[in-house]
Amino acid sequence: MDGINLIQDLAIVLLAAGFAGALCKRIGLSVIVGYLAAGILIGPYTPPFSFVTDVARIQTLSQVGLVFLMFAIGLGLSLTKLGRLGLPTLIATGLGAFLMLNLTHLLGVFVGWTSMQSLFVASMFVVSSSAVIAKIVSELKLSHEAYAQRALGITVMEDVVAVVMLTVLASQAQAGGDGGGGANVGSLLATLSAFVVLLVGGGLLLVPRLLRRLDGRADPELQTIIVAGVLFLLAICAAKAGYSLALGAFLLGAVVAEMPQKTGVEKSFAGMRDLFSSVFFVAIGMMIDIRLLLDVWPMILGLFAFVMIGRPIAIGMALVVCGTHPREARRAGLLLTPLGEFSFIIAQLGVSSAVLPASYYPLAVGTSILTVLATPFINRNAGPLLLAIERLEPRWLVHALEAYHGWIQQAQNGSTSPLAWKLIRSRIPQICVEMLLVTGVLIFSRQIFSMIETSPLAHWFEGARLDYAFWSIIGLITLVLLVALWRNVSAIAMILGESLGGSTRLPAPAIEKTLRTVAGLALGYWLYSILPLDALPVWGWLVIGTAALVVVAVFSSRLVYWHSTWQSSVQQVLSEDPDGAAGVRATARVALDQGLESWGMHLEEYVVHDAADYAGCDLAQLAIPSRFGCSVIEVERNGYVITRTGPDLRIYPGDKLLLLGQPEGLAAARTFLSRDKEMVDGSAEFSGSILQTHTLPAGPHSGQTLASLGVARETGVRIVGIHRGTTKIINPGGNEPLQAGDNLLVVGTLDELRAFRRWLRGGGETTPPFPLARAST
């Protein structure tokens, strides 16, 4: 009966989520609000509607939803996308989070929270909902505004901040600390960085090969199953390492986002993501006691006001500091107010770890729902609101902000870097990554060894052989990275020696030698601090160390080659833009849209839906410019952009049209493009191409060439083969004549074949058709 009860509970959860989500979408709200409301309604705290019998099992399924949700968020974030966001956006995101953390800490001092409680509440408020913001930007037609692009960039980066905060909070909660101290948090962040780099580095090395091999087999089913298995494996690895399941799923999504197969994986996982993420949000709603929600509603209103004021101020100040114009910074700050899924996850963690009281769970959900409801209204009326703020702003502050913005722009346009810095700045990130990889390999080697020790692989070794085999492999991997690390350090020492030697009286070789000595001592101390010395006896490490020195002396070139191969593989993956030109084009369209307001024109995107009655028609038949005064300036199809939108360009389902025109013309064109085809009968099910053979009778068609007959033009069918006596002509050309008695192999739909038979009868009688095969469906 347990299985039947689970199916019953799952049916109730999904139906409630579906009806509530559809209702919220109909009235213009996010479906997440509907999922939460459904969970509250069918949860254990709202009798007599407590239909779910086993809440714990639904909570377990919600963890699957969390994994898929975080994987989808990771798919939306790639390292190349981070690079396109630029350093100012990254700095603004970090600075905005820092300001919001401090504002919430001050609020916590006033309210009486502990430092750990303040950290949890602040973590709920530092991240916005990327899904809600993207929906608002789309609904308000802001996708081509510069401030909207900045807001979308920041909300993507805030997802990274949220993952880091979630991991830190989970570790702090497990440790039972009340803040943990700066040293512990610093050590935790360093270890987390090492784990992330280790997982991402290994993923960039192995996952592309796996996906290419699966892609070559052209089997989407196997690809989906294997990627799902890898997804859950990495989520478990993150949990075994002491972090959240969400971290492993998020990192795999970020790795797959770099692959050309990203679109296929995204499509194949869309159904599972939607299914289990709805279960996740419903499960969150089921944990909310409606009585607690009623008890804390004054505090919900207070925190709602704090978020709606504090987040725009913090984000706006951060953007202004990074060089954004004050008006644009305020406008972006207003878009970044809605809280979302990460706030629920952090609140759930705080309550389950007993850091936060149970009432803080409905507190977080209630505050989040209010921000989601208020943000669209505020942004629809952002113009008058910002004008009112500017009138109240002191003149001296306005002049100071304008002067600072001008100074930043001037500094950015006129800044030049010294030659030495230009030479070494590309090596510094490589050194950081290599150090984090070594740290990750050595710190998490114990967990890896424990997993191997309990696996069937351990039976292949006897006694201490497993220890030495494992640590020898770890030593070899570490050695490859250390050789590459030392080469980069030596190159920087040489460049600095030459640079400082030219500007001082000290000889360049002496400076270089000093820098190498200091770097060597620092690296030695770093290795000593992270090396698991108690894993082997002293003589064991001496043997491994001696062997390492011999390998470096004899096979140093081979080690460098291995590292270069790995580095080139990673760079090749990162150089492949999975979004095609879409990422670059998003930035270009911001510039394209600037200046259109003076013309009274706007840009708008429209995706051709599957049931469009004009699918397959060309732009000349649609006549959008003459009908609505709009221009189709781009068509995006399967990630590729078609800029030559001539009258003969055909439009198909899934195409994304970029329209340029005035608001009333765009609205009329949108209504026209939203038309569905009429279902006249059920013959559409048999509309695929069919192969048939027909015998050409004596008559007027005999003796003429295919080109002169124009069979395809007259009937729509194609003649793909001619059987004449003992001769078979495959794919005949237009100059091929037809003769009476020829057996013609033709391909077409049922309607086209019917027209072809009528065409044949115009030249005499014909034999009945005999279907050979179904060409496509």
Side-chain angles (χ1 to χ4, degrees), residues 431-440 442-443 478 481-482 485 519-531:
I431 289 176
C432 294
V433 169
E434 287 155 358
M435 289 185 69
L436 288 171
L437 280 172
V438 172
T439 303
L442 293 179
I443 287 180
T478 305
L481 296 170
L482 287 177
L485 173 63
L521 292 174
L523 290 176
Y525 176 76
W526 161 66
L527 278 175
Y528 175 76
S529 63
I530 62 174
L531 199 65

Side-chain angles (χ1 to χ4, degrees), residues 335-527:
L335 273 172
L336 288 164
T337 49
L339 306 179
E341 50 275 9
F342 277 109
S343 301
F344 309 146
I345 298 170
I346 292 171
Q348 185 183 36
L349 174 64
V351 172
S352 61
S353 58
V355 175
L356 297 176
S359 60
Y360 276 61
Y361 195 77
L363 190 70
V365 175
T367 305
S368 176
I369 291 176
L370 288 180
T371 59
V372 170
L373 295 175
T375 302
F377 174 78
I378 289 176
N379 281 275
R380 285 191 185 97
N381 301 278
L385 179 62
L386 291 177
L387 286 175
I389 293 174
E390 289 174 0
R391 289 195 196 100
L392 297 174
E393 211 169 28
R395 293 295 95 192
W396 63 266
L397 181 58
V398 174
H399 295 316
L401 292 176
E402 291 289 345
Y404 176 79
H405 176 68
W407 175 73
I408 288 290
Q409 292 295 111
Q410 185 178 4
Q412 289 176 346
N413 295 332
S415 60
T416 56
S417 303
L419 178 61
W421 171 247
K422 291 180 180 178
L423 293 174
I424 67 174
R425 65 182 178 185
S426 62
R427 295 183 179 271
I428 292 176
Q430 294 180 23
I431 289 176
C432 294
V433 169
E434 287 155 358
M435 289 185 69
L436 288 171
L437 280 172
V438 172
T439 303
V441 168
L442 293 179
I443 287 180
F444 295 102
S445 56
R446 292 180 183 276
Q447 287 92 329
I448 298 172
F449 180 73
S450 298
M451 294 172 64
I452 295 176
E453 201 173 22
T454 56
S455 70
L457 292 175
H459 300 299
W460 295 357
F461 299 88
E462 296 179 2
R465 292 181 184 177
L466 178 61
D467 294 6
Y468 289 102
F470 174 79
W471 289 110
S472 298
I473 295 172
I474 292 294
L476 182 61
I477 296 172
T478 305
L479 200 59
V480 173
L481 296 170
L482 287 177
V483 169
L485 173 63
W486 183 248
R487 283 167 58 86
N488 280 321
V489 169
S490 300
I492 291 177
M494 182 184 67
I495 294 168
L496 289 178
E498 293 293 336
S499 176
L500 296 175
S503 59
T504 62
R505 295 182 179 179
L506 297 175
I511 297 176
E512 180 183 348
K513 187 175 182 180
T514 302
L515 291 174
R516 284 189 178 186
T517 303
V518 172
L521 292 174
L523 290 176
Y525 176 76
W526 161 66
L527 278 175

